[in-house]
Structure formats: structure tokens, C-alpha cells
Amino acid sequence: MIYIDANVMYSYLFETPMSESAEAILEHPSKVTSKTTVNESIYVSFRKLARGEGITNIHDLKRFVKEEKGKVLLRKSYFLVMELIELAGVELIDEEDNFEVIARTSEKYSLLPNDATIVATCIKHRITEIATFDKDFENVSFLKIVRG
């Protein structure tokens, strides 16, 4: 079982230097992710779509989401990510929700809260592989990083 990080989904949905690797990863037979990663994927997808409308910072994004065009693009972001999860056969698993466990994980591996939640979730489900294109998980000794 391999945990799919948000940047893999993003690189599949949008053209990046890692798009081919994302395609290869999503062919893996047993893939999982969690709500934190889904939310991150939707957010970065929305940021990408909004950039196409000239929205380049978080303050403008918060105003844009109140406009009809912003609502349409946010809905499109939800659709794109959820459709990818369904079509690629990525299973949504329950996250670790104990904040003390997440805090200890964050401290032990020097991770920000969302990444600590992902690692704690991997521990909870005995997942030892994570597909990601960033370096945030390199200090997590029990996780093998898959990049394509």
C-alpha cells in the first residue's frame, strides 16, 4: 500500500515536470490517501485555476471565492480531485485524529501539522511507502519515498 501525497495528484492534473512520474505512481495497484491530502489537493488546484484568472495571493483568492467565477473554479477543483481519486482507485483512509499523537509525530520528525497528520496516519495504518515529490518526508525513517 502506498500513500499518495497532494503534489502527485497536482502533477497528474496539471502539467509539471513531474507529470509523467505522477502517471506512473497512480498506476500502482494499492493506493491510499486521506482527507488532509484531499483538502491540500483541492486547495492547490484552486490556486492554479485562480492564477489563470490573475489571482496571485491569498487575500485576492479569499475575495475571488466569493465571486461567481471563483465559486465555479472552486467547484471544478473539488470535481477534478475527487474524480481523479475515484478513477485512479485511490482509497480514502481514516486519519489519525489524536492531536497528541500528531503533535509528537510533528516534533519527532520536524514536520508541519498537515505533514505530521499524514505521517501519523501512515503509522496508524502501517503504511511504509509514500509517493511525493517534495522533501518534507525525508527525515521519516520508516517511510520509503516513491517518486515515480
Side-chain angles (χ1 to χ4, degrees):
M1 184 174 350
I2 188 170
Y3 189 98
I4 305 297
D5 196 16
N7 52 44
V8 173
M9 288 189 246
Y10 180 88
S11 289
Y12 183 87
L13 293 171
F14 301 98
E15 187 65 34
T16 76
M18 302 307 293
S19 291
E20 285 184 32
S21 295
E23 279 188 51
I25 287 166
L26 289 171
E27 291 176 4
H28 191 280
S30 181
K31 303 167 292 291
V32 299
T33 200
S34 65
K35 287 181 181 178
T36 292
T37 299
V38 170
N39 283 336
E40 286 181 1
S41 300
I42 292 166
Y43 175 74
V44 296
S45 295
F46 181 52
R47 291 289 305 251
K48 170 70 172 175
L49 295 173
R51 236 183 336 250
E53 299 297 317
I55 307 301
T56 59
N57 65 61
I58 187 66
H59 303 293
D60 291 342
L61 189 70
K62 287 179 179 183
R63 281 191 291 276
F64 182 61
V65 76
K66 295 175 185 174
E67 299 172 14
E68 191 57 36
K69 180 83 173 192
K71 290 176 184 182
V72 168
L73 291 183
L74 181 58
R75 186 74 187 132
K76 181 177 181 178
S77 300
Y78 276 94
F79 175 79
L80 288 170
V81 172
M82 297 312 297
E83 182 180 52
L84 171 59
I85 287 169
E86 183 179 335
L87 293 176
V90 180
E91 178 187 351
L92 278 175
I93 57 173
D94 292 331
E95 289 185 323
E96 176 59 68
D97 59 1
N98 182 315
F99 287 108
E100 183 57 37
V101 170
I102 295 167
R104 284 195 313 268
T105 302
S106 181
E107 187 175 319
K108 179 176 182 176
Y109 297 109
S110 303
L111 297 168
L112 293 173
N114 280 356
D115 290 341
T117 300
I118 290 167
V119 170
T121 299
C122 287
I123 293 168
K124 177 179 180 174
H125 292 277
R126 296 187 177 106
I127 296 167
T128 58
E129 291 184 301
I130 185 166
T132 187
F133 300 135
D134 58 28
K135 298 178 185 215
D136 299 334
F137 302 101
E138 287 182 352
N139 293 332
V140 183
S141 55
F142 75 90
L143 277 179
K144 176 186 173 201
I145 296 174
V146 177
R147 290 197 164 92

